[in-house]
Structures are given as structure tokens and as C-alpha cells.
Amino acid sequence: MTAAELAGRFAGLGAAGWGYVPYAALEQAMDSAARQKAQALCPGAAGVLVAAFPYFAGLRPGNLPLYARGLDYHLELPWRLDLLCADLARAYPGRMFHAGTDSSPLPEREAARQAGLGLMGRNGLIILPPYGSWIFLGTILTDQPLDLPRQAPSGPCMGCGRCIAACPAGALTEEGFAAERCLSHLTQKKGELPPEQAAAVARHPYIWGCDLCQTVCPYNARPARTGIPAFFQGLIDRLTPGDLESLTNRQFQQQYGQRAFAWRGPAVLRRNFALQAGQKTE
Ligand code: SF4
Ligand code: SF4
């Protein structure tokens, strides 16, 4: 398949950008477990297609991150990528094409960076104007070497430092990113949190996740909106404690199981509500 044909296919699937990187170029960014998983999935892995799917649907008030307000992207992206995998399998009989979204062993951001998609933000996110960093990445891993022009890797963002200044948890600093301090990680972490982490969650305006290093980014000031219905229809902007009250785990999954914020179950959300309520009554 030519680059023009792939561009048409990706655009038809709702992707705003795509690129290709030889698998060997990604290996040094993968630990041995990830390399083993990738090889088990696709022995003789040769290349990775990576695509960006926009999800910005407006900056509406709420306490959920924008990525988690629509349908779970883990449900929406795979079927889109699988359509292209089927086309590719017909074009290259006997070759393997595996779609991946988040759960893939591949380092998706590094794949996007090396494939030259957009810009590399200091907040660690790929920025794809005019969609900003409000994009989901999806990959296709294949054992078919694709003869596609290699793009220059993504350049850096303008480096204004607003994301670092805005980070409320000290996760993003001039020295780099400390995942264990990030509120996106802490609001999803199960169990009782140590006092310092609990206090950070209690002060946080979101009940799940964190958008702060994205909302301040100049590239996200007036982003283009997604054209993917699953990401702009039926949005849930806000959860309240009452939404979860007396729901069993099964009822919670029935009601919210197709949302990205549901994968940890209701207990972690209830814990976050309790921490935030405690903070307000102090
Ligand atoms: S998601 Fe929030 S806590 Fe995490 S680095 Fe960005 S601003 Fe900091
Ligand atoms: S806020 Fe500034 S430094 Fe941070 S990613 Fe955006 S442009 Fe880069």
C-alpha cells in the first residue's frame, strides 16, 4: 500500500495524522518484557503504523478529564484500526497486522515522535495542531516491512513552560516527569493513599485524571474539534457522589462500563470523593 493510499484509509477512519516507524527503531525505548510481548504478538515484527485520533469536544466544566467523557477509546479505536488491519491483510497475504490502543507493548508516544507526528510537548504528550494534545494514539504492528518515506522525528514544542508551572503535584518539573506524583496516576491508584498523596487528591478539582498540563498549553487554546461521534456524543462531564450511591460493582459496570474512568471500579472514585469531601469540611 502506498503512503497516499494509507493516508486515505487513515483519514476515512477519523485519524488526523499518521506515520510509520521501523520496529527496530523503537526497540531501544522498550524494556525486555515489552520486547518479548511484541515478539510474541508478532514474531519478526518489522514496522509500526501509528495514528492520532482527536477527541476534543469543547471545554465544558466538569470533574472528569476530557478524554474520559465520551465512549472509552479502548472500545472505539480498535474497531477502526481493525478495519485497516483487514485491508492490509488482504494487500499483504500471510502477513500479520495487530491493532493496539494503550494496552499494546509498543511505546506509542515514542512511535508517534519517531514517525514525525506533530510536536513533542514538554508535558510528555504529542501535540498535533490544530487538535492540540487532545488526541488518542493507536498503532498497528506488522511483520511486513512497509516501503514508506521516513519522516523526521517530531520537533519540540515552543517550550513555554506553562505545563510545568501549572502542575499542582510537582509531577512535571524542569528535571522531568515523576509518574508517582501525577494526579492522573494518583486518582486511579487503588487503596488507601499515603497522607501526602491523599492531600493532593483532596485538593484536586477532578475526581479522576488530570488535564491541567494540557488546558494551559498554548497549542490547546483553540483546538479543532473531533469529528468522531463517540467522542462528542453522550458526554458525561461530571460525576457526583450520588451517581455512585448504592450501586453494586455490577450496576456500576452496567451504567459506566463503557467509560474510560470505569476500569478501576467504583471504589477508587468513592475514595476520591471522600477525600475531597474531607478537604472541604476541614
Ligand atoms: S496530569 Fe496533572 S499532575 Fe500529571 S503532570 Fe499533568 S498537570 Fe501534573
Ligand atoms: S505548555 Fe508550553 S512547554 Fe508545555 S507542552 Fe505546551 S507549549 Fe510545550
Side-chain angles (χ1 to χ4, degrees):
M1 232 181 246
T2 65
E5 287 169 331
L6 278 167
R9 296 287 212 290
F10 273 121
L13 295 173
W18 71 283
Y20 175 73
V21 59
Y23 174 74
L26 286 182
E27 277 190 308
Q28 63 185 25
M30 300 164 68
D31 61 23
S32 61
R35 286 197 296 269
Q36 276 176 17
K37 273 189 200 165
Q39 285 297 338
L41 191 65
C42 185
V48 176
L49 290 160
V50 54
F53 295 84
Y55 64 84
F56 184 78
L59 255 191
R60 298 146 34 127
N63 63 0
L64 291 166
L66 300 193
Y67 82 85
R69 297 188 184 191
L71 186 74
D72 188 345
Y73 63 104
H74 299 95
L75 299 174
E76 183 65 16
L77 262 53
W79 70 262
R80 290 174 180 264
L81 291 167
D82 281 345
L83 288 174
L84 179 53
C85 287
D87 285 348
L88 287 162
R90 277 189 290 276
Y92 302 99
R95 295 298 192 172
M96 286 182 278
F97 297 90
H98 290 286
T101 307
D102 200 25
S103 51
S104 146
L106 299 172
E108 293 169 341
R109 288 182 201 169
E110 178 60 12
R113 188 191 72 78
Q114 288 202 30
L117 269 185
L119 302 162
M120 190 70 227
R122 286 182 75 185
N123 56 8
L125 302 172
I126 295 289
I127 299 164
L128 184 64
Y131 298 95
S133 57
W134 311 113
I135 52 172
F136 297 123
L137 295 175
T139 55
I140 295 175
L141 174 64
T142 179
D143 59 354
Q144 169 67 43
L146 294 170
D147 185 18
L148 295 168
R150 188 84 193 267
Q151 303 294 324
S154 308
C157 66
M158 68 174 78
C160 68
R162 288 186 202 175
C163 51
I164 293 172
C167 179
L172 206 55
T173 64
E174 297 291 344
E175 283 67 49
F177 174 64
E180 69 283 358
R181 298 177 70 92
C182 176
L183 281 155
S184 185
H185 166 70
L186 294 181
T187 54
Q188 301 183 42
K189 188 175 163 185
K190 284 189 167 182
E192 193 176 340
L193 298 175
E196 191 187 341
Q197 296 182 355
V201 171
R203 288 191 299 268
H204 189 44
Y206 282 16
I207 201 64
W208 170 270
C210 178
D211 276 340
L212 296 175
C213 57
Q214 296 195 80
T215 49
V216 298
C217 177
Y219 295 102
N220 286 338
R222 281 176 295 281
R225 291 177 182 239
T226 180
I228 297 174
F231 300 148
F232 66 77
Q233 292 177 346
L235 303 184
I236 298 177
D237 297 320
R238 178 179 296 281
L239 279 182
T240 68
D243 294 329
L244 308 182
E245 208 170 79
S246 70
L247 286 184
T248 63
N249 285 358
R250 181 187 288 253
Q251 288 168 331
F252 174 83
Q253 287 303 333
Q254 282 169 344
Q255 192 152 338
Y256 299 114
Q258 297 203 322
R259 306 287 171 161
F261 62 78
W263 76 285
R264 288 297 222 176
V268 76
L269 293 163
R270 288 186 177 121
R271 186 227 27 222
N272 296 345
F273 275 126
L275 288 171
Q276 294 183 358
Q279 171 78 359
K280 282 172 194 142
T281 55
E282 276 173 14

mmCIF file of all heavy atoms in Angstrom, residues 83-101:
data_model
loop_
_atom_site.group_PDB
_atom_site.id
_atom_site.type_symbol
_atom_site.label_atom_id
_atom_site.label_comp_id
_atom_site.label_asym_id
_atom_site.label_seq_id
_atom_site.Cartn_x
_atom_site.Cartn_y
_atom_site.Cartn_z
ATOM 1 N N LEU A 83 -10.325 -2.339 10.932
ATOM 2 C CA LEU A 83 -10.765 -2.232 9.531
ATOM 3 C C LEU A 83 -9.558 -2.078 8.616
ATOM 4 O O LEU A 83 -9.476 -2.698 7.549
ATOM 5 C CB LEU A 83 -11.703 -1.029 9.361
ATOM 6 C CG LEU A 83 -13.105 -1.162 9.951
ATOM 7 C CD1 LEU A 83 -13.861 0.159 9.823
ATOM 8 C CD2 LEU A 83 -13.871 -2.278 9.243
ATOM 9 N N LEU A 84 -8.607 -1.249 9.050
ATOM 10 C CA LEU A 84 -7.406 -1.066 8.231
ATOM 11 C C LEU A 84 -6.541 -2.329 8.272
ATOM 12 O O LEU A 84 -5.947 -2.711 7.257
ATOM 13 C CB LEU A 84 -6.612 0.153 8.727
ATOM 14 C CG LEU A 84 -5.321 0.452 7.966
ATOM 15 C CD1 LEU A 84 -5.565 0.550 6.460
ATOM 16 C CD2 LEU A 84 -4.687 1.745 8.466
ATOM 17 N N CYS A 85 -6.465 -2.977 9.425
ATOM 18 C CA CYS A 85 -5.704 -4.237 9.508
ATOM 19 C C CYS A 85 -6.245 -5.250 8.498
ATOM 20 O O CYS A 85 -5.477 -5.969 7.847
ATOM 21 C CB CYS A 85 -5.788 -4.826 10.919
ATOM 22 S SG CYS A 85 -4.814 -3.934 12.138
ATOM 23 N N ALA A 86 -7.563 -5.306 8.369
ATOM 24 C CA ALA A 86 -8.169 -6.256 7.416
ATOM 25 C C ALA A 86 -7.787 -5.882 5.978
ATOM 26 O O ALA A 86 -7.454 -6.755 5.167
ATOM 27 C CB ALA A 86 -9.685 -6.264 7.595
ATOM 28 N N ASP A 87 -7.800 -4.582 5.668
ATOM 29 C CA ASP A 87 -7.381 -4.128 4.322
ATOM 30 C C ASP A 87 -5.921 -4.504 4.071
ATOM 31 O O ASP A 87 -5.559 -4.973 2.991
ATOM 32 C CB ASP A 87 -7.490 -2.597 4.219
ATOM 33 C CG ASP A 87 -8.925 -2.135 4.072
ATOM 34 O OD1 ASP A 87 -9.787 -2.983 3.819
ATOM 35 O OD2 ASP A 87 -9.160 -0.922 4.226
ATOM 36 N N LEU A 88 -5.100 -4.275 5.072
ATOM 37 C CA LEU A 88 -3.666 -4.557 4.921
ATOM 38 C C LEU A 88 -3.423 -6.062 4.769
ATOM 39 O O LEU A 88 -2.580 -6.481 3.971
ATOM 40 C CB LEU A 88 -2.899 -4.012 6.136
ATOM 41 C CG LEU A 88 -2.755 -2.481 6.173
ATOM 42 C CD1 LEU A 88 -2.398 -1.995 7.571
ATOM 43 C CD2 LEU A 88 -1.695 -2.025 5.163
ATOM 44 N N ALA A 89 -4.182 -6.856 5.515
ATOM 45 C CA ALA A 89 -4.013 -8.317 5.427
ATOM 46 C C ALA A 89 -4.386 -8.812 4.028
ATOM 47 O O ALA A 89 -3.787 -9.767 3.521
ATOM 48 C CB ALA A 89 -4.859 -9.002 6.492
ATOM 49 N N ARG A 90 -5.366 -8.155 3.399
ATOM 50 C CA ARG A 90 -5.721 -8.528 2.024
ATOM 51 C C ARG A 90 -4.614 -8.089 1.046
ATOM 52 O O ARG A 90 -4.310 -8.779 0.087
ATOM 53 C CB ARG A 90 -7.053 -7.885 1.624
ATOM 54 C CG ARG A 90 -8.267 -8.674 2.085
ATOM 55 C CD ARG A 90 -9.555 -8.139 1.485
ATOM 56 N NE ARG A 90 -9.923 -6.844 2.037
ATOM 57 C CZ ARG A 90 -10.590 -6.682 3.171
ATOM 58 N NH1 ARG A 90 -10.980 -7.740 3.847
ATOM 59 N NH2 ARG A 90 -10.883 -5.492 3.614
ATOM 60 N N ALA A 91 -4.019 -6.944 1.335
ATOM 61 C CA ALA A 91 -2.977 -6.427 0.441
ATOM 62 C C ALA A 91 -1.664 -7.205 0.588
ATOM 63 O O ALA A 91 -0.866 -7.269 -0.355
ATOM 64 C CB ALA A 91 -2.744 -4.938 0.722
ATOM 65 N N TYR A 92 -1.435 -7.764 1.775
ATOM 66 C CA TYR A 92 -0.187 -8.498 2.047
ATOM 67 C C TYR A 92 -0.539 -9.875 2.622
ATOM 68 O O TYR A 92 -0.441 -10.094 3.834
ATOM 69 C CB TYR A 92 0.690 -7.724 3.036
ATOM 70 C CG TYR A 92 1.066 -6.335 2.577
ATOM 71 C CD1 TYR A 92 0.371 -5.219 3.040
ATOM 72 C CD2 TYR A 92 2.118 -6.144 1.681
ATOM 73 C CE1 TYR A 92 0.711 -3.939 2.619
ATOM 74 C CE2 TYR A 92 2.463 -4.863 1.257
ATOM 75 C CZ TYR A 92 1.750 -3.772 1.724
ATOM 76 O OH TYR A 92 2.094 -2.519 1.298
ATOM 77 N N PRO A 93 -0.968 -10.799 1.774
ATOM 78 C CA PRO A 93 -1.407 -12.115 2.271
ATOM 79 C C PRO A 93 -0.298 -12.802 3.073
ATOM 80 O O PRO A 93 0.873 -12.751 2.711
ATOM 81 C CB PRO A 93 -1.706 -12.893 0.981
ATOM 82 C CG PRO A 93 -1.917 -11.849 -0.061
ATOM 83 C CD PRO A 93 -1.059 -10.681 0.312
ATOM 84 N N GLY A 94 -0.708 -13.408 4.172
ATOM 85 C CA GLY A 94 0.237 -14.158 5.001
ATOM 86 C C GLY A 94 0.961 -13.313 6.034
ATOM 87 O O GLY A 94 1.695 -13.840 6.868
ATOM 88 N N ARG A 95 0.760 -12.005 5.977
ATOM 89 C CA ARG A 95 1.429 -11.121 6.948
ATOM 90 C C ARG A 95 0.473 -10.772 8.085
ATOM 91 O O ARG A 95 -0.748 -10.841 7.940
ATOM 92 C CB ARG A 95 1.893 -9.828 6.264
ATOM 93 C CG ARG A 95 2.958 -10.074 5.225
ATOM 94 C CD ARG A 95 4.206 -10.660 5.842
ATOM 95 N NE ARG A 95 5.330 -10.637 4.926
ATOM 96 C CZ ARG A 95 6.578 -10.942 5.258
ATOM 97 N NH1 ARG A 95 6.849 -11.317 6.498
ATOM 98 N NH2 ARG A 95 7.536 -10.890 4.377
ATOM 99 N N MET A 96 1.063 -10.389 9.228
ATOM 100 C CA MET A 96 0.243 -10.084 10.417
ATOM 101 C C MET A 96 0.123 -8.573 10.620
ATOM 102 O O MET A 96 1.094 -7.837 10.416
ATOM 103 C CB MET A 96 0.892 -10.687 11.659
ATOM 104 C CG MET A 96 0.736 -12.179 11.744
ATOM 105 S SD MET A 96 1.464 -12.793 13.260
ATOM 106 C CE MET A 96 3.156 -12.883 12.774
ATOM 107 N N PHE A 97 -1.057 -8.176 11.062
ATOM 108 C CA PHE A 97 -1.303 -6.767 11.385
ATOM 109 C C PHE A 97 -2.106 -6.720 12.679
ATOM 110 O O PHE A 97 -3.234 -7.214 12.726
ATOM 111 C CB PHE A 97 -2.054 -6.079 10.236
ATOM 112 C CG PHE A 97 -1.263 -6.058 8.967
ATOM 113 C CD1 PHE A 97 -1.371 -7.097 8.049
ATOM 114 C CD2 PHE A 97 -0.368 -5.030 8.714
ATOM 115 C CE1 PHE A 97 -0.607 -7.108 6.892
ATOM 116 C CE2 PHE A 97 0.400 -5.032 7.550
ATOM 117 C CZ PHE A 97 0.277 -6.076 6.643
ATOM 118 N N HIS A 98 -1.518 -6.157 13.727
ATOM 119 C CA HIS A 98 -2.152 -6.139 15.048
ATOM 120 C C HIS A 98 -2.411 -4.702 15.498
ATOM 121 O O HIS A 98 -1.470 -3.910 15.639
ATOM 122 C CB HIS A 98 -1.259 -6.812 16.089
ATOM 123 C CG HIS A 98 -1.146 -8.290 15.901
ATOM 124 N ND1 HIS A 98 -2.165 -9.166 16.215
ATOM 125 C CD2 HIS A 98 -0.136 -9.039 15.407
ATOM 126 C CE1 HIS A 98 -1.780 -10.391 15.931
ATOM 127 N NE2 HIS A 98 -0.556 -10.350 15.440
ATOM 128 N N ALA A 99 -3.666 -4.420 15.743
ATOM 129 C CA ALA A 99 -4.016 -3.090 16.243
ATOM 130 C C ALA A 99 -3.754 -3.005 17.747
ATOM 131 O O ALA A 99 -3.939 -3.992 18.469
ATOM 132 C CB ALA A 99 -5.489 -2.809 15.955
ATOM 133 N N GLY A 100 -3.338 -1.837 18.199
ATOM 134 C CA GLY A 100 -3.096 -1.640 19.634
ATOM 135 C C GLY A 100 -3.539 -0.257 20.065
ATOM 136 O O GLY A 100 -3.401 0.721 19.315
ATOM 137 N N THR A 101 -4.103 -0.194 21.250
ATOM 138 C CA THR A 101 -4.519 1.090 21.814
ATOM 139 C C THR A 101 -4.202 1.075 23.293
ATOM 140 O O THR A 101 -4.878 0.389 24.053
ATOM 141 C CB THR A 101 -6.044 1.292 21.657
ATOM 142 O OG1 THR A 101 -6.392 1.111 20.310
ATOM 143 C CG2 THR A 101 -6.459 2.682 22.111
#
